[in-house]
Amino acid sequence: FLVSLYQFMKDRQTPIERIPHLGFKQINLWKIYKAVEKLGAYELVTGRRLWKSVYDELGGSPGSTSAATCTRRHYE
């Protein structure tokens, strides 16, 4: 999965230079991908404003006010 993801991002000229963090925790890229897929993929998650649910599934801090926005940006 990670090899394919890194190649995909490199091919679209937005390489992953370091694994993103939410709060002080490194994001498990496979886990965020599967969480979004489980909720219906990017378009549905965005359209239904479910990014906070994705963040919660990743084990984020419940008090974060920018959780949804940060999660979406990291996924993108």
Side-chain angles (χ1 to χ4, degrees), residues 3 16 19 31 36-37 45 47 50 52 61-62 64 69 75-76:
V3 171
I16 298 173
I19 303 286
K31 194 171 179 181
V36 172
E37 287 296 305
V45 171
L50 297 174
K52 178 70 165 83
S61 172
S64 177
T69 302
Y75 185 85
E76 292 172 343

Side-chain angles (χ1 to χ4, degrees), residues 50-61:
L50 297 174
W51 287 106
K52 178 70 165 83
S53 297
V54 173
Y55 175 79
D56 292 342
E57 184 149 337
L58 296 174
S61 172

Side-chain angles (χ1 to χ4, degrees), residues 3 5-6 8 10-11 13 15 22 25 27-28 30 33-34 36 39 41-42 44 46 51-53 55 69 76:
V3 171
L5 176 62
Y6 275 81
F8 172 77
K10 184 179 175 187
D11 290 347
Q13 299 181 4
L22 278 175
K25 291 173 53 178
I27 296 174
N28 180 324
W30 173 249
Y33 171 77
K34 292 308 285 181
V36 172
L39 292 172
Y42 176 81
L44 285 175
T46 301
W51 287 106
K52 178 70 165 83
S53 297
Y55 175 79
T69 302
E76 292 172 343

Side-chain angles (χ1 to χ4, degrees), residues 1-18 29 76:
F1 170 77
L2 287 177
V3 171
S4 297
L5 176 62
Y6 275 81
Q7 188 61 49
F8 172 77
M9 296 300 285
K10 184 179 175 187
D11 290 347
R12 64 176 249 187
Q13 299 181 4
T14 56
I16 298 173
E17 296 176 2
R18 61 185 172 88
L29 298 175
E76 292 172 343

